[in-house]
Amino acid sequence: MRTVDLPNGIPVFLNKLEYKVYESLNEETCKSDLSERDAYLAQSLVSKGVCKRINREGKTYYKKNKGSIQ
């Protein structure tokens, strides 16, 4: 288990797989560039508030929230 701080300073626990996906996210990572498993984990990061999901031009992108410790 690892912790990542949200922009408001609240720590959130991530398991090893979620943390691996979190660290692999660049500025914006397209969902089609991720495996099905990593896309599912990225969605769980969105539900925890650690990442953002952006829909643009019919594609889905994942991005780290600003202010989260890297």
Side-chain angles (χ1 to χ4, degrees):
M1 298 291 278
R2 306 266 176 126
T3 60
V4 175
D5 289 335
L6 294 177
N8 57 5
I10 299 173
V12 174
F13 288 98
L14 303 179
N15 63 33
K16 289 181 181 180
L17 297 174
E18 289 172 336
Y19 190 75
K20 180 183 170 190
V21 171
Y22 176 76
E23 286 297 313
S24 71
L25 294 177
N26 297 327
E27 289 294 316
E28 285 187 356
T29 305
C30 186
K31 183 178 178 179
S32 61
D33 294 339
L34 299 172
S35 66
E36 185 176 342
R37 175 182 172 203
D38 289 347
Y40 177 79
L41 291 171
Q43 181 58 42
S44 71
L45 293 173
V46 171
S47 66
K48 290 184 177 187
V50 178
C51 294
K52 285 189 215 178
R53 183 178 65 212
I54 303 165
N55 292 319
R56 186 180 330 125
E57 300 173 3
K59 293 186 178 182
T60 304
Y61 296 91
Y62 293 101
K63 179 180 175 181
K64 292 181 185 179
N65 269 341
K66 291 184 180 179
S68 54
I69 297 176
Q70 300 171 358

